[in-house]
Amino acid sequence: IRIGDPDNVLVDVLVVSKLWKNAGRASSIVRRAVTCAAAATLSTSGTELAIVLTDDSAMRLLNRDWRGVDAATNVLSFPAKKAAGKQLGEHLGDIVLAFETIAREARGERKPFAHHVAHLAVHGFLHLVGYDHQGKEDAAEMERTEREILHELAIPDPYRSRSRPRTKPARLAARPAAAAGPAARHPARRTRMS
């Protein structure tokens, strides 16, 4: 897997909730995530999709109307209609992300908001290209693909806590900044959104 060529996929990001206060940063994160996912999964160029950054209220309505579930969720994917098994045009479909649910999950899982947004954009994209997680084998394949894509984006494995038992961390002595790793030495590399 390699980070994709931005010309491979056109991503239109629509911000429809004021909760996405740093909309430019969010747009950049989802574009980069989806571009990488497209490079890993698509063999053609010229594909397009839309990503909608919304809130729990709008997401709840979408989830109720399209899936019959009267609750907000973190991400929904709406693949473009197909005729006779073939994609109609170049539009893959739409991905919708809900701010409050994503923020709550990121806090609860103690992961950076930006990482969770990128993961869910990748997850949504994989649904657009035919992946699902209904069966055990399909879920394992989808998670493996997500892990590979997120690794290319320098985002830790979001499933790690589920795949390995956690042990109590050993107490570490404070390290000097020079030994603390690249993020500590270069604060501008940290990904943080509000």
Side-chain angles (χ1 to χ4, degrees):
I1 296 175
R2 61 176 177 75
I3 297 292
D5 176 359
D7 294 332
N8 189 43
V9 61
L10 174 64
V11 182
D12 190 13
V13 180
L14 306 164
V15 182
V16 297
S17 170
K18 293 179 182 179
L19 292 174
W20 294 88
K21 292 177 182 159
N22 195 341
R25 176 111 171 90
S27 295
S28 179
I29 289 166
V30 297
R31 277 193 179 97
R32 185 167 186 263
V34 166
T35 298
C36 188
T41 60
L42 297 177
S43 59
T44 60
S45 61
T47 301
E48 59 185 51
L49 65 122
I51 299 178
V52 180
L53 303 179
T54 193
D55 55 35
D56 278 3
S57 176
M59 183 65 93
R60 180 180 177 188
L61 294 174
L62 287 169
N63 206 16
R64 184 192 67 206
D65 293 350
W66 291 93
R67 296 181 60 231
V69 178
D70 191 16
T73 188
N74 52 17
V75 61
L76 287 174
S77 295
F78 297 94
K81 298 274 187 209
K82 295 181 180 183
K86 294 185 180 182
Q87 188 72 36
L88 292 177
E90 299 167 346
H91 187 72
L92 280 179
D94 304 320
I95 300 167
V96 184
L97 299 165
F99 183 86
E100 297 103 319
T101 298
I102 295 170
R104 188 172 47 255
E105 290 172 348
R107 277 191 312 273
E109 296 171 21
R110 296 184 176 150
K111 60 176 71 168
F113 180 77
H115 288 183
H116 199 40
V117 169
H119 173 214
L120 293 171
V122 168
H123 184 89
F125 180 85
L126 292 178
H127 278 301
L128 292 183
V129 296
Y131 285 78
D132 80 38
H133 41 80
Q134 297 304 313
K136 233 179 188 179
E137 289 179 17
D138 290 339
E141 175 66 15
M142 187 170 185
E143 285 183 13
R144 183 193 62 74
T145 304
E146 287 176 8
R147 284 180 174 112
E148 290 175 0
I149 294 165
L150 294 171
H151 177 76
E152 290 298 319
L153 294 166
I155 294 174
D157 179 354
Y159 300 107
R160 184 172 182 188
S161 63
R162 285 197 287 162
S163 61
R164 277 195 213 158
R166 287 189 178 223
T167 57
K168 190 173 181 179
R171 207 159 174 177
L172 300 174
R175 298 186 296 176
R185 290 190 300 271
H186 303 287
R189 291 189 188 167
R190 293 185 189 142
T191 45
R192 183 170 180 230
M193 288 184 54
S194 33

